[in-house]
């Protein structure tokens, strides 16, 4: 039987995770084993459950308890489901809850890069991509367009930030990803790239550069293992990253446009290089 709890006290501690804690507070960098994240929408929550993430509680509009959220709630009969009418939830969270259900879930320990890349043929490496919307969109493209795993440098936004989860449509729970750890891989970029190469990957840095080759270059397609490196939204890749990579690649453009947003560029790159 579902554990339905009607919201009557906005200050209840159990609701802090939805209404009052910041993303960094949820992340708990000092004690990551206690970290939480919020999955939003039935599809994202279902994918997180399928991936083995442990739910802590649900927050659902009352009309969705027997509607869009019903199957999820039935999967987790012992988990508390906090519920209220739309107007009350809007007052609680400060925005319109339009996707039926939120779920607070426990984070899992991140795998080592070597473990993640074992058996992979194509991986994406994100360098200092700080916008969670872009991180979510890139991971969605990685999941759908042939990437086997995603590595992120420490300067990237966390893929389990709420906006990243939402934009990814829950694919952050499907494609394997982890952060590059300096103790395992060394400092990024020089040592980190050497480590990626030690795993058997040739590296392709996406950047506008005098020596850039087009993304459809036959040599790229023929690489058995390839790591595609994408840079930050405003500044692109670090000079050290470009210098240390085996290839510098670009997407041929027209109408005087020099480049695409990193999320759009990732989709083009993954489609072409993931074949």
């Amino acid at each position: 039987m579902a554990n339905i709890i009607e919201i009557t006290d906005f200050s209840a501690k159990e609701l802090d995770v939805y209404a009052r804690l910041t993303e960094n507070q949820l992340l708990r960098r000092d004690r990551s084993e206690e970290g939480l994240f919020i999955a939003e929408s039935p599809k994202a929550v279902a994918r997180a459950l399928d991936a083995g993430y442990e739910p802590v509680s649900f927050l659902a509009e009352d009309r969705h308890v027997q509607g869009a959220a019903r199957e999820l709630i039935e999967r987790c009969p012992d988990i508390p489901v906090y519920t209220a009418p739309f107007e009350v939830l809007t007052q609680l969270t400060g925005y319109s809850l339009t996707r039926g259900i939120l779920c607070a879930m426990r984070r899992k320990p991140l795998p080592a890069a070597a473990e993640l890349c074992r058996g992979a043929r194509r991986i994406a490496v994100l360098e200092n991509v700080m916008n969670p919307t872009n991180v979510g969109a890139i991971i969605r493209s990685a999941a759908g367009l042939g990437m086997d795993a995603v590595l992120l440098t420490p300067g990237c936004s966390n893929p389990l930030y709420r906006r990243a989860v939402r934009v990814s449509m829950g694919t952050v729970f499907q494609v394997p990803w982890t952060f590059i750890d300096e103790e395992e891989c060394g400092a990024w970029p020089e040592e980190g790239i050497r480590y990626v190469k030690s795993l058997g990957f040739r590296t392709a840095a996406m950047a506008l550069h005098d020596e850039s080759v087009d993304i459809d270059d036959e040599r790229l397609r023929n690489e058995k293992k390839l790591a595609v490196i994408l840079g930050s939204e405003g500044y692109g890749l670090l000079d050290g990253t470009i210098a240390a990579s085996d290839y510098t690649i670009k997407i041929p453009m027209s109408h005087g446009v020099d480049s695409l947003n990193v999320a759009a560029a990732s989709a083009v790159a993954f489609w072409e290089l993931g074949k």
Side-chain angles (χ1 to χ4, degrees), residues 19 36 89 137 143 210 267:
L36 300 173
L89 292 184
D210 291 341

Side-chain angles (χ1 to χ4, degrees), residues 25 28 50 56 81 93 143 163 174 177 181 199 220 235:
Q25 288 172 320
R28 291 296 298 272
D50 291 343
V56 173
V81 182
T93 61
R163 184 178 296 177
Q174 294 181 303
W177 60 268
D181 181 73
L199 299 177
L220 296 167
Y235 300 99

